[in-house]
Amino acid sequence: MASVHTYPDLEALSQAAAEELVTLARAAAAERGTCHLALSGGSTPRTLFRILRTLPMPWPDVELWWGDERTVPPDHRDSNYRMAAEELIEPLGLTRVHRMRGEEIPDAAAAAYEHELVMTIGDPPVLDVALQGLGADGHTASLFPGSPALTATERWVVANQVDSPLAGGKTMRLTLTARALTAARHVRFLVAGADKAHALAAVLEGPRDSERYPAQLVAGARDIVWYVDAAAAAQLRTTEVVRT
Ligand code: 6PG
């Protein structure tokens, strides 16, 4: 079941998402002792991470994971880990952190992360919260249109061969699969900017075409909330949105 909440801008949607994340994390910690939270990459979540730093997250009970990672070292400017380290891990001194090792051989790094997920959370590795972004082409995590990972139905984490201008051309990415993202208890998409408007409308309102719009692969998750700004929501016609 998905719901769409629209906000005037990135700051407002990030504030709302961060406040709900605190609630979800506290509930997971109370019920199961731990909140397994998978962070998204790219630029959108930086605002949310900055706000999250100021809110009463139960950090001692939170285990950080990633939805995807670029095949670069953790100090590289493109590293999703690096951005989270700058905004959350280093300022807060977080230690329960499971980094995707983008600097290692991709297939081995994916297999190692998959093993770490299952050994830490269980099989299936049900994340409590998966934060997701949306690319202007409809990708999420590193599940890009037409890429091999879209059919990795038996895996939780794979190395994905990507060829997209949104990924800087041909590259390898580490990514949770749609199977892993769909298994999460709560999926939260953060989408901002006019450049995402077409993809958001196609994913939410267009015909089922997950090869072309991979974010549709996550539609089967049990609880999805889209936090979007007005610019990204501009092409939505039939979706019932909660305006805030
Ligand atoms: C990544 C992300 C990716 C991202 C979208 C949106 O590693 O790039 O995980 O899925 O969420 O590409 O990126 P922006 O937030 O930068 O628009």
Side-chain angles (χ1 to χ4, degrees):
M1 183 59 198
S3 64
V4 179
H5 298 243
T6 65
Y7 298 82
D9 53 29
L10 175 61
E11 187 76 22
L13 79 87
S14 302
Q15 180 69 38
E19 289 173 4
E20 192 206 7
L21 192 48
V22 173
T23 303
L24 294 174
R26 287 181 169 280
E31 289 164 27
R32 290 176 294 279
T34 304
C35 172
H36 292 285
L37 165 61
L39 303 179
S40 56
S43 56
T44 302
R46 188 183 284 271
T47 305
L48 175 126
F49 295 169
R50 173 175 49 76
I51 294 169
L52 211 50
R53 257 194 342 248
T54 69
L55 297 181
M57 276 284 282
W59 291 115
D61 299 326
V62 174
E63 302 246 6
L64 284 186
W65 302 87
W66 273 263
D68 70 322
E69 186 55 278
R70 290 80 182 278
T71 47
V72 295
D75 59 352
H76 191 282
R77 68 178 181 284
D78 291 345
S79 165
N80 289 335
Y81 169 83
R82 174 175 165 175
M83 194 267 276
E86 289 168 354
E87 298 297 341
L88 282 175
I89 298 166
E90 290 165 6
L92 296 173
L94 302 183
T95 56
R96 299 182 72 177
V97 176
H98 303 272
R99 181 176 68 84
M100 286 184 169
R101 307 182 76 78
E103 70 278 18
E104 293 178 358
I105 295 169
D107 282 335
Y113 204 75
E114 187 170 64
H115 180 72
E116 191 171 345
L117 264 174
V118 170
M119 295 307 288
T120 308
I121 303 179
D123 192 0
V126 176
L127 292 161
D128 291 292
V129 183
L131 288 180
Q132 298 302 122
L134 181 71
D137 61 353
H139 80 263
T140 192
S142 282
L143 302 171
F144 280 80
S147 63
L150 302 191
T151 57
T153 54
E154 302 303 314
R155 297 290 301 276
W156 302 113
V157 186
V158 293
N160 193 23
Q161 189 159 357
V162 171
D163 184 3
S164 167
L166 294 176
K170 281 191 177 181
T171 187
M172 290 299 289
R173 289 280 190 93
L174 301 177
T175 187
L176 294 190
T177 59
R179 182 186 181 212
L181 296 172
T182 306
R185 288 188 175 85
H186 307 286
V187 176
R188 295 297 181 262
F189 280 92
L190 278 66
V191 187
D195 63 318
K196 307 293 178 73
H198 169 76
L200 185 64
V203 167
L204 291 178
E205 300 181 349
R208 174 86 184 181
D209 185 357
S210 54
E211 185 77 11
R212 188 170 172 203
Y213 297 107
Q216 289 183 339
L217 288 169
V218 188
R222 62 190 101 172
D223 170 42
I224 305 174
V225 175
W226 294 79
Y227 287 91
V228 305
D229 70 359
Q235 294 184 24
L236 295 180
R237 294 292 174 269
T238 57
T239 303
E240 186 181 335
V241 300
V242 176
R243 297 189 190 290
T244 305

